[in-house]
Amino acid sequence: MRFSSPFNAAAAASAGYLGRRVQAFAPSPRAAALPLPLSNDRWLTTFSNNGNRRDNTRIPSPLSASAAPLHDESLAPGIAAIDAALPALSPLLSELRSLPYFSLYSCDMLASCEYLPQELFECYTESCEIYPVDDDEVPTDIKAADFDEHEFELDGWARWDMPSDDYYDTTVFPEDYTGYDGSDVWRFVHDRIGFHDGAVAADEYDADDWKADFNKAVSGLHAMVSAQVVKGMQDKIGSGEGLDPESYPWTDPVAEFRRRLGPQGETPEAVENLYFTMMLLLSGVRAARERLLADCDAGKVGDARSCDVLRSILSHPLLDDPAVEAASRRLREHALLDSNGLWEARMRTRDLMRIMNCVQCNKCRFHGKISTLGLSTALQLAVGHRGTGGDAAKVHRVELAALVTAMSKFLAGIELCLQMQ
């Protein structure tokens, strides 16, 4: 696990945050006797030479969206920058996502699951279902671009569904809490697609290895989906719709937040990993900025107002803040040390896309595919094939749309975590 100094390592060790899951760590007798963090703070406890405790000092944590201490302190400035930019970016991204360029995706909703044995399953609620839009609602230039750009690299980062006449609209079928239990799919993602060998066997998220960076990014993806679930629960309760226990297995958003995203929950680093992946997406959008602006100038994105919104996002200081480059810089530094092994990351990112065909809630499958494509595009731009970064000019329309959409999803997830604190 990485810390910026022995001082921070001691503080985290004293709090007992040494593993991915709370039940996985075994603190020393001395650490077990020390107080756990009460809020967004950590305790620094010093000892005299004979081992007696000398004093306690409360150390504020930079992670406002969680009470858990940061494991990678280099992320702190980027996290603060994201939190500060959220009020300005959130409404702009919401408006941008209403445009057909960013909301329409030709997606194979009938593909078979290739990774898990499954029985025919009916989702708990009707909200699981989605339907394609009418043909005349899909702009001809979007359909033409997707068909023209259907080719892909066999050894590339992404393997998107081949375009067809069936397009689905995220504005018609937005993120929602459907009651679907995807735990089997997520178990496969973490246990089989994630890495567990070498240095990551001892520290799966913060080992000095690109495999830990990959795990951290995938964990961030899971955290974003968990935030969407909690937000969906809140929305249903707030609208008066309620949550029937016979249709929805989870009905308490506070309890679910603590279980999924809390510092004493299933993954104590979940919120930190959420920010890590958000930084990768921000770096990806920054790398694709000129390509997005070119599509805007060519009239592919939308009208003048739409382009103004896109330019406002792409010119926001957050994208050029060196602090948010911490995640992609860490990934590139690790990748350059083992560029011959990056084929494993590309293969598993493609697997991450394909495992979404095992999701038996169509709305969840649809949004899962968009989110994983956005993440794979960010990884492609950050690392490329040799660790030096990818070529934004070769990125397809659907990848650009998924990248920006995923960034919006992650920002909404961070907003939910901040509200829940």
Side-chain angles (χ1 to χ4, degrees):
M1 198 162 292
R2 179 186 306 180
F3 298 94
S4 60
S5 68
F7 169 91
N8 288 326
S14 70
Y17 289 94
L18 297 178
R20 173 187 171 200
R21 303 184 186 277
V22 169
Q23 60 266 34
F25 71 78
S28 67
R30 176 185 292 172
L34 301 180
L36 289 174
L38 300 178
S39 60
N40 286 10
D41 298 338
R42 291 166 295 152
W43 289 94
L44 170 68
T45 302
T46 58
F47 297 88
S48 61
N49 291 334
N50 62 9
N52 293 325
R53 190 165 63 185
R54 191 157 52 195
D55 60 28
N56 261 344
T57 303
R58 187 182 290 276
I59 308 298
S61 170
L63 194 57
S64 299
S66 173
L70 278 177
H71 292 74
D72 184 351
E73 295 283 355
S74 71
L75 302 178
I79 289 172
I82 291 170
D83 289 349
L86 192 150
L89 281 179
S90 183
L92 291 173
L93 282 166
S94 295
E95 183 174 352
L96 196 68
R97 284 188 60 185
S98 67
L99 301 176
Y101 186 98
F102 297 101
S103 67
L104 289 172
Y105 299 86
S106 181
C107 189
D108 185 356
M109 304 306 301
L110 300 176
S112 299
C113 175
E114 302 171 352
Y115 296 91
L116 298 169
Q118 292 184 317
E119 297 178 357
L120 183 63
F121 171 80
E122 295 294 336
C123 192
Y124 296 107
T125 64
E126 293 182 0
S127 60
C128 285
E129 291 305 321
I130 64 173
Y131 304 96
V133 301
D134 294 336
D135 288 345
D136 58 3
E137 296 182 37
V138 183
T140 56
D141 57 339
I142 288 180
K143 183 175 288 189
D146 291 347
F147 274 79
D148 289 344
E149 298 174 344
H150 71 277
E151 294 185 356
F152 56 87
E153 293 183 75
L154 288 175
D155 188 31
W157 285 93
R159 191 70 55 79
W160 180 248
D161 295 338
M162 285 290 102
S164 70
D165 289 334
D166 287 341
Y167 275 77
Y168 300 85
D169 193 336
T170 59
T171 64
V172 178
F173 300 103
E175 299 90 335
D176 191 12
Y177 172 46
T178 65
Y180 172 71
D181 182 357
S183 56
D184 287 345
V185 174
W186 282 116
R187 189 175 301 112
F188 185 95
V189 167
H190 292 298
D191 293 348
R192 301 292 300 278
I193 296 179
F195 292 95
H196 304 285
D197 59 320
V200 295
D203 186 356
E204 65 179 322
Y205 296 139
D206 292 289
D208 197 18
D209 194 302
W210 63 260
K211 294 179 179 180
D213 302 333
F214 180 90
N215 289 348
K216 199 172 185 74
V218 172
S219 175
L221 176 69
H222 192 176
M224 180 274 290
V225 174
S226 294
Q228 286 183 346
V229 169
V230 174
K231 179 65 164 58
M233 296 172 71
Q234 288 181 333
D235 290 345
K236 287 186 182 298
I237 293 172
S239 68
E241 179 179 346
L243 297 171
D244 181 1
E246 294 186 3
S247 299
Y248 296 96
W250 310 293
T251 58
D252 185 346
V254 174
E256 284 308 303
F257 178 83
R258 290 172 176 169
R259 179 174 75 87
R260 298 165 182 260
L261 297 163
Q264 305 297 331
E266 294 176 347
T267 309
E269 286 188 59
V271 175
E272 176 179 337
N273 298 345
L274 175 71
Y275 277 102
F276 179 84
T277 313
M278 176 63 178
M279 291 184 201
L280 290 177
L281 293 166
L282 283 165
S283 296
V285 172
R286 180 177 182 271
R289 177 161 48 195
E290 295 306 318
R291 167 64 195 279
L292 283 164
L293 289 172
D295 279 7
C296 195
D297 292 339
K300 298 178 181 179
V301 171
D303 57 18
R305 166 61 188 172
S306 302
C307 285
D308 286 343
V309 173
L310 178 59
R311 289 191 180 95
S312 296
I313 294 170
L314 297 179
S315 62
H316 193 282
L318 182 65
L319 269 68
D320 294 300
D321 191 329
V324 302
E325 288 292 312
S328 59
R329 182 169 57 249
R330 166 179 153 172
L331 174 59
R332 277 194 298 270
E333 289 174 355
H334 288 152
L336 286 170
L337 296 175
D338 183 26
S339 59
N340 290 332
L342 288 178
W343 64 270
E344 293 185 79
R346 296 193 297 274
M347 179 184 70
R348 297 196 189 202
T349 304
R350 298 193 300 270
D351 286 334
L352 188 63
M353 174 70 71
R354 286 289 168 248
I355 191 64
M356 293 301 148
N357 288 329
C358 299
V359 175
Q360 292 180 293
C361 156
N362 282 341
K363 183 179 289 184
C364 310
R365 176 187 292 204
F366 177 49
H367 283 279
K369 287 190 173 188
I370 295 170
S371 301
T372 53
L373 181 61
L375 174 57
S376 68
T377 305
L379 293 172
Q380 173 186 344
L381 291 169
V383 179
H385 275 258
R386 306 299 299 176
T388 56
D391 184 358
K394 297 180 179 180
V395 176
H396 297 166
R397 192 285 307 183
V398 68
E399 293 173 310
L400 290 170
L403 175 66
V404 174
T405 299
M407 185 175 74
S408 176
K409 288 173 177 284
F410 272 78
L411 199 66
I414 290 170
E415 189 172 23
L416 180 279
C417 291
L418 289 168
Q419 292 171 354
M420 293 294 288
Q421 289 306 309

